[in-house]
Amino acid sequence: MAWYAKTRFYHIVDLTAWQLYPCPELLTRICPQYRPTMSQLQHQYPAIIDWTPFPALRDRLIRLHAANPQIDQIFVDIVSSYVVEASMADLVFGAPQTTVYVRVTDVAEGAAALGTKDIDPSTILPAPDVASLFSVAECAQAVFKLLNMDHGVSQYKLDPSFFGTYPELFDPENDIAAKGVPIRPNSQTRLPCPRRLNELIFRTYQSFMQFHTFAPL
């Protein structure tokens, strides 16, 4: 829920509606990056693949992992690998104009303490050092806003290390692997894999669906 609200992934409302009721009207409302490919329309596969925002990657998942019992873990690894490219000079004072990439979950976690507080990045950045980008909530929030991490997935790419784990999913013709140097906090957390359904998990999903239904667009 915190990730969903922070990154404003509200555009997946229409995708979820289409999953529940796949009709032509809902299909036209789906965000272009999530609009089903021909493979999705022609084959049976785990529905969680629909939530991957890279069409070519969805096709590879269907072809190579549709029967994989670990597909949930693969999807979690995809979401944990979302990054945005940036110039180091815009983030750290005195740094060169080097292309770097920052993991979205690292920045969202660092900024979580501020909630939805609005910050002007120009008053905070560049930060004095890389560590401050993640350990100081105001800096993390400024990075989050400067890199438009709450504007959907249009500029998201994947950490190249993801393809080190899943080399069969790499497509050299599909420009979704980030370029540059990674910058990270000292320790990283990963999103948890879905657990077996129990009453607590059911209430969490129920709360998510209520939020999903009434999310501002």
Side-chain angles (χ1 to χ4, degrees), residues 75-98:
F75 175 74
V76 168
D77 290 343
I78 290 171
V79 177
S80 296
S81 299
Y82 288 161
V83 297
V84 174
E85 295 173 343
S87 170
M88 189 70 163
D90 293 335
L91 304 180
V92 178
F93 183 77
Q97 295 280 354
T98 302

Side-chain angles (χ1 to χ4, degrees), residues 113-127:
L114 292 183
T116 58
K117 181 180 178 181
D118 190 32
I119 284 182
D120 180 358
S122 65
T123 64
I124 305 293
L125 300 176

Side-chain angles (χ1 to χ4, degrees), residues 50-191:
D50 290 343
W51 289 49
T52 301
F54 308 107
L57 182 56
R58 291 198 298 272
D59 286 349
R60 284 190 171 240
L61 287 169
I62 291 170
R63 189 169 73 251
L64 301 172
H65 289 288
N68 190 338
Q70 299 300 316
I71 188 63
D72 283 355
Q73 182 61 59
I74 296 175
F75 175 74
V76 168
D77 290 343
I78 290 171
V79 177
S80 296
S81 299
Y82 288 161
V83 297
V84 174
E85 295 173 343
S87 170
M88 189 70 163
D90 293 335
L91 304 180
V92 178
F93 183 77
Q97 295 280 354
T98 302
T99 298
V100 297
Y101 57 86
V102 189
R103 201 176 70 146
V104 177
T105 50
D106 290 336
V107 179
E109 184 173 346
L114 292 183
T116 58
K117 181 180 178 181
D118 190 32
I119 284 182
D120 180 358
S122 65
T123 64
I124 305 293
L125 300 176
D129 49 55
V130 170
S132 298
L133 299 176
F134 308 101
S135 61
V136 178
E138 287 80 4
C139 289
Q141 181 79 335
V143 172
F144 195 87
K145 186 169 183 179
L146 177 69
L147 301 185
N148 295 319
M149 290 182 172
D150 60 345
H151 287 194
V153 296
S154 60
Q155 61 184 346
Y156 284 16
K157 293 193 173 183
L158 290 178
D159 189 323
S161 65
F162 171 80
F163 297 107
T165 305
Y166 304 101
E168 72 282 4
L169 296 178
F170 179 71
D171 181 356
E173 297 182 1
N174 189 20
D175 184 27
I176 62 173
K179 298 178 179 63
V181 180
I183 55 173
R184 306 183 175 105
N186 292 330
S187 62
Q188 289 181 303
T189 58
R190 301 191 72 81
L191 297 176

